[in-house]
Amino acid sequence: MSSSTATHESPPSIALEQLALHLRHTFTIARASEDVATTVLLTVKVGGVAALGEASPIQRYNESVEQVAELLQRLPLNGVDLWRFDDVIDLLPVHAYAARCALDLALHDLAGKRVGIPVYKLLGLNPERALETSFTIGIADLDKTVEKTKEARHLPILKVKLGSGNEIETLEAIRSVYSGRIRLDANEGWTPQGAVSMLKALKRFDIEFCEQPIDAGHPEQLRFVKEHSPIPIFVDEDSRTLTDIARLHGCVDGINIKLVKCGGIRAAIAMIHAARALGMKIMIGCMIESSVLATAAAHLTPLADYADIDGPLLITDDPFVGVRYEGARLRLPDGPGLGVVPSPST
Ligand code: MG
């Protein structure tokens, strides 16, 4: 495509909407609890094509739906060549990762729709290498934990949220009804010494790895935990963007990459390669989000080792359909762009 294409089109229009996504179960992690998650849906319309993006801003990083919407609302897209992804994304502030993510997704969706191919193909990826996702069990009392585990018993991988006490009892309760693979996420809930003792005690439950055992921002403490833990250590809060990767070298076994943390598909690919070069395993994760953002993440799983893309499974009112779940296996849509369409039920 020549860059002159953009100048002959009517100017792109931007529409923004807040999506209130209702959770199947109150979602509790070591830091917080929620029943409704709000995300920002971005629609960029140009030349008869409507392209979608989404951001689920993370409060922990001081990002909000209001701030994301405001940044995107005043994007000066007139006369801009929307094939030049980096130039367009750089119209936003460098640290506005959630807003950059929504825009990056819309640019990929637009490009795919313009040439009539899915995003995985635009990226040269093999959809048969899409991964199985874990399914998250949030923190709850033991009865509720058992009930939620039974609901998910047919799925091969659970990600169990821990970090606010009762860890051994929780794993005992889950293992009494579930024999599949289990990953843990402590969401910064433990001290370094506490993490090592806890992970030694939890080893008997046959755990694949543990995510973010301690507060983010202390790579040397992570190194201590990794060196003394019998369970591999991943980070999530610590692996926000590309610039975080180098300091984690040798301190962790793997990182969780989320599109909304790092700024979208392009930023995530840069992180994947940087982390690979330093010998880290890659997990692609998600927030509570609709099928727009989750499908974009799914398109990248052929590049990763693990997937935690269960956002659409945790909500009752996803306005879209995109990535499909065959059990836990992610099936990438073949439609153009992200391959996401409005849900027939909404
Ligand atoms: Mg996490």
Side-chain angles (χ1 to χ4, degrees):
M1 286 287 158
S2 75
S3 61
S4 62
T5 310
T7 56
H8 297 299
E9 286 167 343
S10 55
S13 74
I14 284 185
L16 290 155
E17 191 186 328
Q18 288 195 12
L19 300 179
L21 306 171
H22 293 79
L23 286 141
R24 222 169 271 286
H25 295 286
T26 299
F27 191 72
T28 302
I29 65 169
R31 276 190 305 272
S33 201
E34 61 183 338
D35 290 297
V36 182
T38 308
T39 70
V40 183
L41 178 72
L42 165 68
T43 307
V44 177
K45 282 191 185 162
V46 60
V49 178
L52 298 172
E54 185 183 15
S56 49
I58 304 176
Q59 205 178 5
R60 185 186 192 289
Y61 299 120
N62 296 317
E63 295 196 292
S64 67
V65 289
E66 293 78 14
Q67 175 199 58
V68 168
E70 195 193 317
L71 284 166
L72 293 170
Q73 192 66 63
R74 48 189 170 85
L75 258 187
L77 289 186
N78 283 2
V80 170
D81 182 348
L82 298 179
W83 285 99
R84 298 181 182 181
F85 292 9
D86 293 322
D87 292 1
V88 182
I89 294 165
D90 281 337
L91 294 171
L92 289 165
V94 174
H95 298 295
Y97 297 105
R100 292 169 76 94
C101 170
L103 183 57
D104 167 282
L105 265 53
L107 293 174
H108 282 84
D109 194 35
L110 179 65
K113 284 172 172 165
R114 281 171 155 177
V115 294
I117 61 172
V119 162
Y120 68 76
K121 191 173 258 191
L122 203 61
L123 300 174
L125 301 177
N126 178 356
E128 287 160 28
R129 292 189 184 220
L131 299 170
E132 284 185 319
T133 180
S134 50
F135 179 82
T136 303
I137 304 290
I139 294 173
D141 65 40
L142 293 180
D143 288 345
K144 185 81 180 166
T145 297
V146 167
E147 179 197 325
K148 288 194 292 184
T149 305
K150 282 182 173 170
E151 277 177 30
R153 195 150 50 176
H154 60 292
L155 298 170
I157 317 165
L158 297 184
K159 174 155 140 180
V160 177
K161 294 285 192 177
L162 294 176
S164 62
N166 251 358
E167 286 89 347
I168 306 278
E169 295 82 354
T170 300
L171 263 296
E172 268 169 358
I174 289 172
R175 272 299 183 216
S176 72
V177 292
Y178 184 75
S179 60
R181 293 153 68 187
I182 294 182
R183 302 164 185 172
L184 305 177
D185 188 353
N187 287 109
E188 310 179 284
W190 300 325
T191 62
Q193 278 292 356
V196 170
S197 318
M198 183 60 73
L199 292 168
K200 283 180 175 166
L202 295 175
K203 180 176 165 42
R204 67 186 165 100
F205 297 108
D206 191 14
I207 305 299
E208 250 186 324
F209 55 78
C210 177
E211 198 174 305
Q212 201 67 48
I214 62 169
D215 273 346
H218 307 281
E220 286 312 311
Q221 294 178 7
L222 274 173
R223 186 192 300 273
F224 166 82
V225 176
K226 171 179 145 50
E227 283 174 358
H228 294 86
S229 165
I231 294 172
I233 302 299
F234 277 52
V235 283
D236 176 0
E237 286 84 343
D238 255 316
S239 56
R240 187 183 184 194
T241 71
L242 180 62
T243 56
D244 294 323
I245 306 282
R247 72 174 73 101
L248 295 167
H249 184 211
C251 304
V252 298
D253 297 288
I255 63 167
N256 185 346
I257 297 172
K258 293 175 180 167
L259 301 188
V260 78
K261 279 194 304 188
C262 67
I265 291 170
R266 278 172 96 71
I269 291 172
M271 287 182 80
I272 290 169
H273 293 313
R276 282 255 181 261
L278 297 174
M280 299 173 192
K281 294 285 189 189
I282 311 291
M283 172 162 49
I284 304 286
C286 73
M287 301 298 291
I288 308 296
E289 57 196 35
S290 87
S291 281
V292 175
L293 193 37
T295 301
H299 278 286
L300 287 185
T301 61
L303 289 171
D305 305 294
Y306 304 99
D308 176 37
I309 305 178
D310 61 352
L313 299 177
L314 301 175
I315 57 177
T316 58
D317 48 1
D318 190 346
F320 297 98
V321 287
V323 60
R324 287 179 303 110
Y325 297 86
E326 280 178 18
R329 172 70 55 187
L330 301 169
R331 293 291 178 207
L332 305 183
D334 286 321
L338 295 174
V340 171
V341 296
S343 167
S345 60
T346 53

